[in-house]
Amino acid sequence: MRVDILTCQPELLESPFAHSIVKRAQDKGLAEIHLHQLRDHAVNKHGQIDDYLFGGGAGMVLRVEPIAAWIDELQAQRPYDAIIYLTPDGETLRQPLANRLSLLGNIIMLCGHYKGVDQRIREHYVTHEISVGDFVLSGGELAAAILVDAIVRLLPGVLGNEESALSDSFQDDLLAPPVYTRPAEWRGLAVPEILLSGNTPKIEEWRHEQALARTRAKRPDLLKE
C-alpha cells in the first residue's frame, strides 16, 4: 500500500510514522508513506496556500491551486483508489471502514487546516470524507495519523500474528473481552480459572460472553446496531 499525505505541517506526522507497527510495515516493504508539503505549490513567493472566506467570516480557507497541483502531479504518476479528506463532517471512522480501506493499493489523504478546504476540491477530487470523531482538531494531521495506523496494521504480514487484528474490538461489533497474562495470581487477584483450563471451546465461549457483557455495559449502542 502507498499513502500520499498532503499537509501544510508534515513535521507533525514524521514521528508517528517512524515508530512501532507503522514503521515495521514500512521496513518490511508492505507500506509506503509519503508526506507532501502543500507550500511547495504555493500561489506566490510568500508561500501562501490560504485566503479569506468569500462572503466574510472569521478564519481562513485552504486554496484550490496548491491542493489541485499536488493531486494532479501524483495522479499523473499512478492511479489512486481513494482520495480521502480528513474533516469533522465526514463519515465517522469505524472498524468496517478501516477494513475496507486496508484492501486498497494507493491512497491520497488531504489534511484540512484553518476553516477547511475550498468546497471545489471536495466536489472535484475527493472520493471519501472521514472524521475520527465528533470534535474539532487544529488540523487533519493527527486524524491522518490515526487513519494510517488503523489501516496499515491490517495489512497481511504487518502484525506478528495476523489473527490478532481479527480479535480486536469492533471487528465483530463487540468490544474485546478482558485479557490476562502472567503471573496467574497477583496481590490476591487470580486469573479466571477457565483461561488456565486448556479447554479451547470453553475459553472461546467465555470470551464471547465477556465481550457481550462488556459491550452491554460500555457501548450498548453497538448491540442496538
Side-chain angles (χ1 to χ4, degrees):
M1 171 180 284
R2 177 185 171 112
V3 181
D4 291 273
I5 302 178
L6 309 183
T7 169
C8 60
Q9 294 184 315
E11 301 82 6
L12 287 177
L13 291 167
E14 291 172 356
S15 178
F17 299 150
H19 303 279
S20 191
I21 289 173
V22 176
K23 181 179 186 299
R24 183 192 307 170
Q26 295 177 86
D27 291 343
K28 288 184 175 181
L30 301 174
E32 294 181 38
I33 302 172
H34 301 271
L35 306 178
H36 305 285
Q37 171 59 265
L38 284 172
R39 296 189 191 280
D40 290 349
H41 285 296
V43 298
N44 55 37
K45 63 180 181 180
H46 304 294
Q48 183 181 0
I49 57 173
D50 62 337
D51 218 322
Y52 296 103
L53 285 75
F54 276 129
M60 306 290 280
V61 177
L62 288 174
R63 292 180 56 140
V64 171
E65 303 97 325
I67 300 171
W70 262 123
I71 296 176
D72 290 344
E73 181 177 322
L74 291 169
Q75 287 185 320
Q77 298 171 19
R78 67 191 61 82
Y80 283 87
D81 303 303
I83 299 177
I84 299 171
Y85 174 45
L86 285 309
T87 172
D89 61 358
E91 176 184 359
T92 301
L93 177 61
R94 302 184 67 176
Q95 194 62 47
L97 177 56
N99 292 344
R100 293 195 299 272
L101 293 175
S102 72
L103 301 176
L104 304 182
N106 300 322
I107 298 173
I108 293 175
M109 294 186 187
L110 171 59
C111 299
H113 208 67
Y114 311 115
K115 295 294 286 185
V117 305
D118 188 292
Q119 180 63 25
R120 289 168 289 186
I121 288 292
R122 300 173 72 164
E123 294 174 354
H124 185 68
Y125 288 106
V126 172
T127 62
H128 298 69
E129 298 184 343
I130 297 177
S131 166
V132 296
D134 295 339
F135 49 87
V136 177
L137 298 169
S138 298
E141 287 76 17
L142 297 181
I146 290 172
L147 181 57
V148 168
D149 190 279
I151 295 172
V152 167
R153 67 188 307 277
L154 297 173
L155 299 178
V158 172
L159 298 180
N161 183 346
E162 293 183 14
E163 291 185 5
S164 176
L166 299 179
S167 61
D168 287 339
S169 291
F170 307 114
Q171 283 291 11
D172 54 1
D173 292 324
L174 296 175
L175 300 182
V179 293
Y180 299 86
T181 188
R182 297 174 181 173
E185 185 172 339
W186 175 78
R187 295 184 180 178
L189 300 175
V191 171
E193 290 186 12
I194 184 64
L195 297 178
L196 308 176
S197 69
N199 189 330
T200 301
K202 288 293 185 181
I203 290 173
E204 291 306 313
E205 182 181 341
W206 179 88
R207 284 175 171 161
H208 181 67
E209 291 173 351
Q210 292 294 313
L212 279 172
R214 177 173 281 190
T215 305
R216 189 175 294 113
K218 294 175 176 283
R219 290 290 305 276
D221 58 299
L222 293 176
L223 294 178
K224 292 178 182 178
E225 293 178 10

